[in-house]
Amino acid sequence: MKSTKIIQTAQLLSDEALKAVSLYLIFFGLLVMVAIGASWGVWGFWFVPLSLRWFIAAVVLLSAGCFGLLMLDVKRCIRKVKLKLNARKGG
């Protein structure tokens, strides 16, 4: 009985960690996008625009964050399906 609680707690902690990391990746990706927009002259704060590498880095950060949230959603859906199947089987 205690081992199942430990496993469930570990799963919840890993889910929360994945969610936090994914949201931070999205946040930093958006932050880099704002910096790129400012440097390319949207607001005219900087004189030298950032290179295209920064844009690629921002897209990679955003993609990684979205992928992490997608994986979290997939894990939760699979867990729900397993619980439904176990409930039907009676065990």
Side-chain angles (χ1 to χ4, degrees), residues 75-90:
K75 282 174 59 176
R76 287 183 181 172
C77 288
I78 289 173
R79 195 174 301 138
K80 283 183 181 180
V81 168
K82 281 184 179 180
L83 286 174
K84 284 182 184 178
L85 289 176
N86 285 339
R88 282 188 203 159
K89 289 180 183 177

Side-chain angles (χ1 to χ4, degrees), residues 32-56:
V32 171
M33 285 287 195
V34 168
I36 289 168
S39 75
W40 282 354
V42 174
W43 296 295
F45 290 150
W46 297 327
F47 296 108
V48 179
L50 292 174
S51 67
L52 192 61
R53 291 180 187 170
W54 285 93
F55 180 76
I56 293 170

Side-chain angles (χ1 to χ4, degrees), residues 19-32:
K19 182 179 175 184
V21 169
S22 298
L23 290 176
Y24 276 119
L25 285 174
I26 290 172
F27 173 72
F28 286 122
L30 290 174
L31 200 64
V32 171

Side-chain angles (χ1 to χ4, degrees), residues 2-16:
K2 287 184 180 181
S3 64
T4 57
K5 280 196 169 201
I6 293 172
I7 291 172
Q8 289 174 349
T9 305
Q11 286 176 348
L12 288 175
L13 288 176
S14 69
D15 288 349
E16 290 299 319

